Amino acid sequence: MTTKKIERIITPPAPHMVGDGFRVHNFIPSAHGLSMQRMSPFIMMDYNSKFYFPPTQELRGVGVHPHRGFETVTIAYKGKVAHHDSAGNSGVIGEGDVQWMTAASGILHKEYHEEQFSKNGGDFQMVQLWVNLPAKDKMSAPKYQGITNDAINKFQLPNDEGFVEVIAGTYNGVSGTASTFTPVNLLNAKLNKGATATFNFPASYNTALLVVEGSIKVNGSEKIPTDNFVLFANEGEEFIVEASEDAVVLVLGGEPINEPIAAHGPFVMNTQQEIIQAFNDFNIGRFGYLE
């Protein structure tokens, strides 16, 4: 195996609020070098770094909004998020859980801090990824994969060094819990101090990691602190993560979808005409209804 080298280390961009419940750093596509095409199939990443929300009787969050043409993946590290959609689905994403929503042909959605979490207040930490869909699947039926933490397959590292949660893809023979439309690897490495984990992805895969907790070394040399993002070059296959202290690392790698991208707000399609059609369909109620 040849080494997959670091192309760029990116410190968290200035945070901004999404609604009144999510204080996020947008890495993809806002940060330098992390365009939708460069990071495909990952076309958006908002990272709500650990942030304390005080108690409130109001439910902070994001009101009703549409999606079409991609999937949203919400990974909860701290806090709880509740959600509703126009197809009648609802639920709560608790700590350690993952919600994989295929918006595809279109859905209305809202998400907000879970009621009891809002009343108590507390640390809140989440990642939301948008994963693009190939043209042939963009207008497929919406669906959900609600993945509780106990349902996520895990690879135990030797000598009690920690474990790797395999949300999607494979790791050392362990298959991910989520199904995907194109090859995607999404892994949570939870490493004790001094532990190492080795990852292998094809050179062509767009590959990155986010340090969610602690700090790490990559390939024995580069030191990466908390909340920093690492983009790997599209060469080599293998890289090694070593925990300088207890660490949580989100690792993502995926086969690029080599198709045109037309994006506007909550719609990601292949042509501008399809974006116009999405707005038209939304305006005439084809996404359903949600209060």
Side-chain angles (χ1 to χ4, degrees):
M1 288 285 179
T2 54
T3 299
K4 192 181 285 288
K5 296 178 181 177
I6 291 175
E7 179 175 311
R8 185 174 286 117
I9 301 169
I10 298 165
T11 57
H16 67 275
M17 293 300 294
V18 176
D20 63 358
F22 305 95
R23 177 187 177 273
V24 303
H25 311 274
N26 181 256
F27 283 103
I28 305 170
S30 297
H32 178 65
L34 301 184
S35 69
M36 289 184 174
Q37 287 286 7
R38 172 65 183 88
M39 297 309 299
S40 176
F42 310 106
I43 51 174
M44 199 280 291
M45 178 194 267
D46 272 345
Y47 172 46
N48 192 128
S49 59
K50 191 183 296 180
F51 183 78
Y52 177 78
F53 281 96
T56 177
Q57 296 301 310
E58 303 296 323
L59 297 182
R60 300 183 180 96
V62 181
V64 177
H65 56 282
H67 291 304
R68 172 179 279 182
F70 58 94
E71 303 182 283
T72 69
V73 182
T74 304
I75 306 168
Y77 294 97
K78 300 284 184 185
K80 292 183 177 182
V81 173
H83 65 93
H84 280 83
D85 74 19
S86 53
N89 299 297
S90 64
V92 174
I93 311 163
E95 292 187 9
D97 298 345
V98 175
Q99 183 206 64
W100 199 298
M101 182 182 82
T102 304
S105 61
I107 204 162
L108 300 181
H109 190 237
K110 63 180 179 179
E111 49 208 326
Y112 44 91
H113 295 187
E114 183 267 338
E115 185 175 2
Q116 199 58 51
F117 174 80
S118 293
K119 289 178 179 177
N120 294 339
D123 286 337
F124 191 84
Q125 187 176 27
M126 303 261 167
V127 167
Q128 186 170 93
L129 276 170
W130 290 6
V131 179
N132 205 6
L133 290 171
K136 66 182 180 64
D137 297 312
K138 281 187 177 292
M139 294 299 288
S140 58
K143 67 173 185 175
Y144 277 95
Q145 299 174 77
I147 307 169
T148 56
N149 189 260
D150 59 3
I152 297 175
N153 296 327
K154 300 170 179 69
F155 177 84
Q156 297 290 332
L157 296 168
N159 305 317
D160 198 31
E161 291 187 335
F163 56 92
V164 176
E165 295 178 343
V166 189
I167 300 167
T170 59
Y171 183 78
N172 281 358
V174 175
S175 294
T177 306
S179 65
T180 65
F181 286 80
T182 61
V184 170
N185 289 281
L186 193 59
L187 312 167
N188 260 329
K190 299 187 174 180
L191 309 176
N192 298 325
K193 181 178 180 180
T196 61
T198 301
F199 300 88
N200 293 287
F201 299 136
S204 61
Y205 279 28
N206 290 328
T207 302
L209 62 78
L210 173 70
V211 182
V212 176
E213 292 282 353
S215 58
I216 62 171
K217 276 187 185 177
V218 174
N219 295 331
S221 57
E222 296 276 6
K223 296 178 180 179
I224 318 294
T226 308
D227 299 340
N228 277 231
F229 184 98
V230 174
L231 173 65
F232 290 92
N234 291 102
E235 58 184 36
E237 297 87 27
E238 182 177 282
F239 61 96
I240 299 171
V241 172
E242 178 184 350
S244 305
E245 55 187 311
D246 290 355
V248 177
V249 184
L250 177 64
V251 179
L252 47 152
E255 182 178 84
I257 299 172
N258 292 315
E259 296 176 352
I261 296 175
H264 193 104
F267 306 132
V268 182
M269 304 300 289
N270 297 104
T271 68
Q272 196 59 37
Q273 185 56 46
E274 290 170 336
I275 293 292
I276 294 169
Q277 185 64 53
F279 274 100
N280 288 341
D281 289 347
F282 168 62
N283 287 332
I284 64 175
R286 286 184 176 160
F287 284 56
Y289 176 76
L290 183 63
E291 288 187 351

